[in-house]
Amino acid sequence: MMGAEGGQSIGCSLAALWMLHVLGVGYLTLTHNDNTPWADSATDLPVLGGLSRFGVEVVREMNRIGMIVDLSHTAESTQLDALATTSAPVMFSHSSVRALADHPRNVSDRVLAKLADNGGIVQITFVPEFVSQPCIDWDQDMHA
C-alpha cells in the first residue's frame, strides 16, 4: 500500500488530500518530525494541543474517502483527538510502545487502550531507540 508520510504533503488543502487518494495513496501520516499547522508532532514543541479544527476535518475527510489515518509521528494529544474523531480504525505504521521504551514516538498505554476500542493496529519498528530503553538513555546522554 502506498502512503504519504507527513501531513505537510497536503499543506492545508483537502483538495490535495483528495488528489493523493486519487493517485492511489492509501494512508497519510498526519505529521512527521515537525508539527503541521493542524496537528502536533511527537518530536516538536506542542502548539495546538492535538488537532486543530482543520485537523479534525482532515480525519473526517480521510474516513469519508477511505484513507487510513496513520498516527505514527504524532503527539499523544493528536492521537487522542484523532481517535475521538475517527469513524474508522486507525494505524501506527511504524511506532513502538512506550511501556517498553520511553520515546515520544512510541504509543502510550492510554492510547493503546483507546486503539483497542477503535480496532486499529500498531506496526512495530525495530529502530533501537524505539525498542530499547538503554539505547534511548545512551542517546540522551550523548546529546546532553
Side-chain angles (χ1 to χ4, degrees):
M1 179 185 297
M2 284 195 304
E5 186 168 21
Q8 291 84 348
S9 61
I10 67 164
C12 292
S13 169
L14 292 179
L17 174 68
W18 186 81
M19 187 53 65
L20 285 177
H21 173 67
V22 167
L23 292 171
V25 173
Y27 69 91
L28 172 71
T29 307
L30 300 184
T31 67
H32 195 251
N33 294 329
D34 300 317
N35 299 333
T36 63
W38 44 271
D40 283 342
S41 170
T43 52
D44 200 353
L45 296 174
V47 174
L48 301 166
L51 290 174
S52 71
R53 283 189 200 142
F54 181 74
V56 169
E57 287 183 53
V58 169
V59 170
R60 288 184 180 146
E61 183 66 4
M62 290 176 73
N63 290 166
R64 188 186 73 76
I65 64 177
M67 285 183 78
I68 299 170
V69 176
D70 183 359
L71 297 175
S72 285
H73 286 282
T74 60
E76 182 179 57
S77 57
T78 301
Q79 296 162 15
L80 293 169
D81 284 354
L83 285 162
T85 301
T86 190
S87 60
V90 300
M91 76 171 178
F92 289 82
S93 63
H94 57 291
S95 297
S96 293
V97 293
R98 203 169 293 162
L100 298 178
D102 190 18
H103 189 284
R105 281 269 320 277
N106 288 346
V107 187
S108 71
D109 285 348
R110 180 178 176 199
V111 171
L112 285 172
K114 293 190 180 296
L115 187 66
D117 294 337
N118 168 265
I121 62 168
V122 177
Q123 298 181 129
I124 302 299
T125 182
F126 289 97
V127 174
E129 292 83 10
F130 298 152
V131 295
S132 169
Q133 190 62 48
C135 285
I136 292 171
D137 296 341
W138 179 85
D139 189 59
Q140 288 174 346
D141 288 347
M142 291 301 294
H143 292 98

